[in-house]
Amino acid sequence: MTGSMGRRTVLLGAGALAAPAVLAQELPVLRVTHFGGPYNALTSVIAEPFAAARLGRVVYETENSVTALTKLQAQREAPPFDIVMLSRGFTGRVGGAGFLSPLDPARSDLVDGAIAPRNWGAAMLIDGIDIMYDRTKVTTPIESWLDLWRPDLRGLVTMPSASLPVYFVVMQIARALGGDPTQPAAIDAAFAKLREIKPNIRTFYSDPVQGSQMIERGEVAAAIQFAGRIAPVMRGNPNIVRASPREGVVGAPYDLCLVNNGRNREAAIAYIDFCLAEPQQSALAARLLVAPSHRRATVPEAAQNFLVPLDKVWFPDEEFAASRAAEWSRRWQREVQS
Amino acid sequence: MRLRALTPWLWLAPALLVLVPFFALPLGLLLRNSLGRDEPSGGVEPVFTLENYGSVLTDPFYATVFLNTAGMAAGVGLAALVVGFPYAYAVVRCSARWRGVLLWAVYTPLLVSVIVRVLGWIAITADGGLINAALLATGLSSRPLRILYEVEGMGVGMLHRYLPLMVLPLVNALQRVPWDLLRASSSLGAGPGEGILRIILPLSLPGAVIGFQLVFASVLSDYVLPTLMGTTRFRMLAPALYDEAVTNLATATAAAMAVCALLLVVLMLGLGNLAVRRLAPWARTL
Amino acid sequence: MRSAWLLGAFVALVLLFLLGPLLIAIAVAFSSGERIGFPPPGLSLRWFADALGNEQFRDAAARSLWVALAATVISVVAGTGAAVALTQGQGRFAGRAWVQAFIMLPLAIPGIVLGLALLPTAIMLGLRPGFWATVLGHAVVGIPYSAYLVLAAFAQYDPALDRASASLGVGPWRSFLRVTLPLIRPGIVSAAICTFLLSFDNVALSLFLSRGDTLPLRLMQHIQFTATPAVAAASVMLVLLSLGAMLMLGRVLRGRGTIRIAG
């Protein structure tokens, strides 16, 4: 009796020990990219619950939109990733070049503009281009984009250089001047206006962190910057505030995109659905201080002030912008930042 | 006899095994791309056209970029020579104990990642940094001096980064100067100036030229320092190349720019070697 | 005498120039504050603990170390071979000048240009971004420096030694091992140090050929978002490690005779 019990216990015990190993082997592996830095939090906020729910095992790699595209281009038939995180400006280009599979568009629980044109991707987070300024140095609050041209801000402003996506700024200024950003006349007006801002610019930054560091060091009093980066600066320095001007804040969604010819397609789709579900969206927003794309995501009261107000966000025509981006970038190099 | 003729190639085999597939091939690809046409998604249309070279060579913006970069490269090279020569002289002429210290001072910055070195320079040259703090405290200036994010700041950073490339060949060259002979010649009545002109300068020329070539090529290719410490008002080559290749996905245009840059450096290297061969025919060239 | 004093003052200034930013970086590493700034608000070891505890930094340091070691071995072997080929037998063979120019050419290419061109080439050759692609990319830029430094060591070399060795009946390979190699050893050592440092610090090539996991790339990613003194702390620890390694290397080699760093 004891012997057979013993044997059964051992067999059961062995089975119990083997089961997780066997099951773990069955979990599909997903290769997902993110931008690095604070997005390393995805490991704890997304990957661990995803594995706990037995949906798959996620391996993250740090790639910005550019290096992700370069690597997709180099390995078209056997892509190195299954899901890529791209800024919206790249999503259209990468999808149009045939590297992505379109997503199922039926997602009613996401805010307007969260789904990329032609369903190439769905926004995991909605960043934006906003203005931050030091209120101890800027006596009259900044309420309009055109306030950046004020004489009291001479030499105290910084904004992106052409190494970064400047089409956001061009379109926003066109809009602030009352024009339609998809019309050449409005764009020309925007460039004419931007040529006049040079005396106010301390320098054009090539890396977003330079913008934050300059305002923290006190070298500039106002900066055009990604909302997701304004939040940590505000948190560390209560004198620095968000302007969120009345003409609006350009939305810069970060899309999750399904790679064509990627592996474990079903698990990849499940990953995207998982990231866009309400609990994960709330957790992401609270952790990364970037606006969620889910309508009902809840963000703790204390964090709400740091997020860009979604009612001010507008989404530019990304396809139009993508077709003009190189031309505007060259104009920016020659007319604005030189 | 035939084996003897093969031997250099046998010795070269490891180097060629690496360089042919991983250097000659990419160069070929670069050349091929520069003759194609840009596609909006970053690819290159396989046509055969010289329009990229046309646009690079006739665009005043690119002309400015090349001139800026070549000027900065030459300037930093000369500054490195002026600063490095006395330092190399000191290294060769001082006692063994100090020589170690001086050489380690040249090597140690190379151990620190360039990114961290730049952080150090930012702390020194920023509006609120060390230099300005000292200037304001002593009353030498009433407003902060703009060094960082200006050409001057970038130049200082470049000099710091590439000075070792000038010092080491100079030390190499100066070690060959027969110092005892110099002392002997002076005791025989030759003035100190003559010793410098006829012995030290010619012997150190090859080292100076190699140092200048290395610094020039390095400044020309530098991406990190112009991006982190420079200004877009003085556009440099590597960031401009990056903008075209990566931000604008204009692969063919960027390839044409890269080939032009390569030709510029090759020209400079060739001129330097020619000068050395004329003026110091015994010496080694790059 | 006065000129010696002037020279000494000048050298002191240059020393300050060379070491200044490093001293600042060290001070920042010991900062107790949250941000990279000088002077630090207080002193603390917290960022050293932070850097050591950062798994990405640790893994990246190990990875960079292996990449640099592999790249150094390849560069030094290839560079020494090239140097021997270019000097042996008075260094005359058909196409010598072209070969020398080709070997030095990687110095002329901006790193990002090479990286951008090398990525599709490596894929074409069946090498995806990762360890070996990075190693071979680093070796490409290491070979010219290696060759140059060993060539410089050969400048002191007397070819009569080869002839003497041959006339004593020593075969060419043994002659190389027993006679040539020990004499050019300082050049090989400086080539090894130089290419190791170049590889360890490389950003431009690693950006395209690796998977974002070398140490300079991780430091850069960290700075791009958070910019805490952890970066400075990581660098200080690396400098101490490298200095220690090199002092040990120097002591081991000094036991076998004098060593001149610049060959």
Side-chain angles (χ1 to χ4, degrees):
Chain A
M1 208 37 199
T2 336
S4 65
M5 267 285 272
R7 211 180 315 129
R8 236 177 55 189
T9 320
V10 167
L11 280 176
L12 278 176
L17 280 174
V22 167
L23 284 178
Q25 276 172 1
E26 289 176 1
L27 274 188
V29 175
L30 287 176
R31 301 159 304 169
V32 181
T33 70
H34 65 62
F35 296 156
Y39 296 95
N40 283 305
L42 285 172
T43 308
S44 52
V45 177
I46 301 284
E48 282 167 16
F50 194 71
R54 315 213 52 75
L55 292 166
R57 197 162 64 84
V58 181
V59 173
Y60 284 116
E61 283 188 33
T62 301
E63 303 284 351
N64 59 40
S65 306
V66 161
T67 51
L69 171 59
T70 317
K71 292 188 179 160
L72 283 175
Q73 277 173 329
Q75 302 163 74
R76 197 183 260 267
E77 287 76 38
F81 319 114
D82 306 309
I83 293 178
V84 286
M85 180 170 159
L86 297 173
S87 47
R88 180 63 63 87
F90 275 83
T91 309
R93 259 192 290 191
V94 178
F99 294 110
L100 303 176
S101 301
L103 296 175
D104 178 2
R107 289 174 204 280
S108 56
D109 40 4
L110 300 181
V111 300
D112 291 329
I115 307 273
R118 298 197 213 276
N119 306 314
W120 288 127
M124 184 170 75
L125 295 164
I126 300 191
D127 205 344
I129 309 282
D130 201 346
I131 301 175
M132 64 172 159
Y133 65 95
D134 188 334
R135 60 175 169 198
T136 59
K137 298 207 168 95
V138 182
T139 42
T140 331
I142 293 181
E143 281 161 3
S144 154
W145 283 92
L146 301 176
D147 283 344
L148 290 173
W149 275 255
R150 286 199 323 228
D152 63 308
L153 288 175
R154 201 181 176 84
L156 292 173
V157 182
T158 182
M159 59 167 77
S161 76
S163 305
L164 295 167
V166 288
Y167 70 87
F168 288 125
V169 182
V170 173
M171 293 180 97
Q172 177 69 72
I173 300 298
R175 207 169 121 115
L177 288 172
D180 175 358
T182 57
Q183 297 306 314
I187 298 295
D188 285 337
F191 271 106
K193 186 74 177 160
L194 283 163
R195 282 196 290 273
E196 292 168 18
I197 205 177
K198 287 191 216 184
N200 282 16
I201 303 292
R202 171 75 170 91
T203 192
F204 292 86
Y205 62 80
S206 306
D207 195 283
V209 78
Q210 286 176 317
S212 300
Q213 286 179 327
M214 279 195 278
I215 203 169
E216 283 173 342
R217 284 199 302 259
E219 273 155 15
V220 297
I224 297 183
Q225 179 61 290
F226 285 97
R229 290 175 177 274
I230 295 180
V233 174
M234 282 171 69
R235 208 171 30 180
N237 187 336
N239 287 329
I240 296 180
V241 297
R242 212 173 4 93
S244 298
R246 56 172 171 265
E247 298 97 348
V249 171
V250 186
Y254 297 143
D255 293 326
L256 289 174
C257 307
L258 194 60
V259 175
N260 224 355
N261 296 329
R263 306 197 291 229
N264 294 320
R265 202 186 164 83
E266 278 181 26
I269 295 176
Y271 177 87
I272 295 182
D273 290 336
F274 189 77
C275 290
L276 296 176
E278 195 251 305
Q280 278 73 43
Q281 282 282 302
S282 305
L284 280 172
R287 186 74 179 265
L288 296 169
L289 292 182
V290 183
S293 55
H294 195 286
R295 271 185 219 282
R296 288 184 303 280
T298 48
V299 182
E301 183 97 21
Q304 272 174 24
N305 186 40
F306 298 114
L307 300 185
V308 60
L310 274 175
D311 56 337
K312 289 216 170 143
V313 170
W314 65 279
F315 295 99
D317 181 343
E318 289 283 353
E319 290 202 37
F320 175 76
S323 67
R324 296 280 189 276
E327 175 201 326
W328 292 347
S329 166
R330 289 204 181 97
R331 282 189 73 173
W332 189 280
Q333 280 177 332
R334 287 157 173 74
E335 298 176 41
V336 182
Q337 76 181 29
S338 58
Chain B
M1 201 57 225
R2 205 166 311 153
L3 189 63
R4 190 90 51 85
L6 261 181
T7 1
W9 297 102
L10 284 173
W11 283 111
L12 282 170
L16 292 177
L17 229 81
V18 173
L19 287 178
V20 167
F22 294 100
F23 180 65
L25 219 53
L27 263 191
L29 183 68
L30 204 66
L31 207 58
R32 175 73 196 86
N33 278 345
S34 71
L35 295 167
R37 186 174 298 143
D38 283 316
E39 274 170 1
S41 67
V44 178
E45 236 181 278
V47 297
F48 187 89
T49 167
L50 290 172
E51 63 190 30
N52 299 311
Y53 287 102
S55 71
V56 169
L57 292 169
T58 54
D59 189 333
F61 178 71
Y62 292 130
T64 316
V65 168
F66 275 103
L67 281 172
N68 285 349
T69 317
M72 174 62 70
V76 173
L78 283 172
L81 190 56
V82 165
V83 173
F85 194 90
Y87 192 86
Y89 179 84
V91 167
V92 170
R93 299 289 289 148
C94 68
S95 63
R97 177 174 49 131
W98 279 110
R99 186 172 312 146
V101 170
L102 291 184
L103 281 174
W104 277 120
V106 164
Y107 270 116
T108 314
L110 300 175
L111 295 175
V112 182
S113 172
V114 63
I115 293 171
V116 177
R117 271 182 275 161
V118 168
L119 287 178
W121 275 117
I122 290 181
I124 296 178
T125 55
D127 288 1
L130 273 183
I131 294 184
N132 279 314
L135 284 176
L136 289 171
T138 56
L140 281 170
S141 167
S142 55
R143 280 173 52 234
L145 217 60
R146 296 225 163 138
I147 312 174
L148 187 59
Y149 306 132
E150 303 291 342
V151 183
E152 296 82 13
M154 179 173 66
V156 166
M158 298 258 195
L159 181 62
H160 184 263
R161 189 177 184 191
Y162 299 118
L163 191 59
L165 288 180
M166 175 64 83
V167 167
L168 297 176
L170 274 178
V171 165
N172 219 346
L174 284 174
Q175 273 176 336
R176 279 179 224 146
V177 170
W179 299 104
D180 300 331
L181 275 184
L182 265 183
R183 217 171 334 136
S185 80
S186 79
S187 75
L188 284 173
E194 233 183 301
I196 294 179
L197 271 175
R198 279 162 158 262
I199 302 186
I200 300 186
L201 241 44
L203 276 178
S204 57
L205 183 72
V209 169
I210 290 184
F212 185 86
Q213 289 172 323
L214 288 174
V215 175
F216 188 93
S218 304
V219 172
L220 209 89
S221 329
D222 197 333
Y223 172 78
V224 174
L225 285 173
T227 308
L228 295 180
M229 294 178 72
T231 171
T232 52
R233 276 171 266 225
F234 191 86
R235 203 78 180 115
M236 296 276 284
L237 185 58
L241 248 171
Y242 182 88
D243 282 351
E244 283 303 334
V246 164
T247 314
N248 292 343
L249 292 181
T251 313
T253 315
M257 275 178 80
V259 171
C260 290
L262 187 59
L263 288 174
L264 182 63
V265 177
V266 167
L267 182 71
M268 195 277 316
L269 285 178
L271 282 176
N273 287 356
L274 213 72
V276 170
R277 233 164 274 155
R278 275 295 191 80
L279 300 168
W282 65 86
R284 166 143 344 271
T285 54
L286 261 186
Chain C
M1 264 301 102
R2 198 187 52 175
S3 59
W5 189 91
L6 271 172
L7 185 63
F10 181 79
V11 167
L13 275 175
V14 176
L15 274 175
L16 191 64
F17 176 71
L18 283 171
L19 298 175
L22 308 185
L23 296 171
I24 304 254
I26 294 177
V28 167
F30 283 101
S31 163
S32 60
E34 288 284 322
R35 294 240 162 277
I36 296 180
F38 187 85
L43 294 178
S44 151
L45 286 175
R46 65 186 277 215
W47 295 111
F48 286 93
D50 188 90
L52 280 172
N54 187 326
E55 194 183 329
Q56 281 199 332
F57 279 6
R58 284 203 314 266
D59 290 345
R63 188 165 198 85
S64 283
L65 183 70
W66 286 116
V67 166
L69 278 174
T72 303
V73 167
I74 297 179
S75 296
V76 170
V77 167
T80 308
V84 172
L86 291 170
T87 52
Q88 189 192 59
Q90 259 79 73
R92 270 178 234 303
F93 63 93
R96 177 200 186 277
W98 291 105
V99 169
Q100 178 161 358
F102 179 64
I103 302 233
M104 292 300 169
L105 206 53
L107 289 174
I109 286 205
I112 39 168
V113 172
L114 187 57
L116 271 171
L118 206 42
L119 177 60
T121 315
I123 307 270
M124 209 160 55
L125 296 168
L127 212 59
R128 298 174 137 233
F131 183 78
W132 284 112
T134 320
V135 166
L136 288 163
H138 290 185
V140 167
V141 293
I143 288 179
Y145 284 99
S146 230
Y148 164 67
L149 286 167
V150 179
L151 273 175
F154 262 114
Q156 250 84 313
Y157 189 78
D158 188 352
L161 289 167
D162 285 333
R163 292 195 291 269
S165 165
S167 73
L168 284 173
V170 184
W173 179 245
R174 270 189 94 215
S175 171
F176 175 74
L177 280 178
R178 292 296 202 83
V179 179
T180 319
L181 214 51
L183 284 172
I184 58 171
R185 191 165 20 93
I188 297 188
V189 169
S190 38
I193 294 179
C194 187
T195 50
F196 185 88
L197 290 176
L198 275 173
S199 165
F200 205 76
D201 201 22
N202 186 291
V203 170
L205 286 174
S206 305
L207 202 54
F208 296 100
L209 297 174
S210 76
R211 293 161 59 187
D213 47 5
T214 64
L215 188 62
L217 289 183
R218 286 282 184 236
L219 290 178
M220 220 171 59
Q221 288 158 15
H222 188 92
I223 291 185
Q224 276 168 349
F225 283 99
T226 37
T228 61
V231 172
S235 267
V236 167
M237 286 192 284
L238 280 172
V239 170
L240 290 174
L241 269 171
S242 322
L243 276 179
M246 271 193 258
L247 277 173
M248 269 201 308
L249 187 69
R251 196 155 296 166
V252 162
L253 291 168
R254 203 164 296 135
R256 309 246 210 106
T258 49
I259 178 168
R260 285 179 300 169
I261 296 188

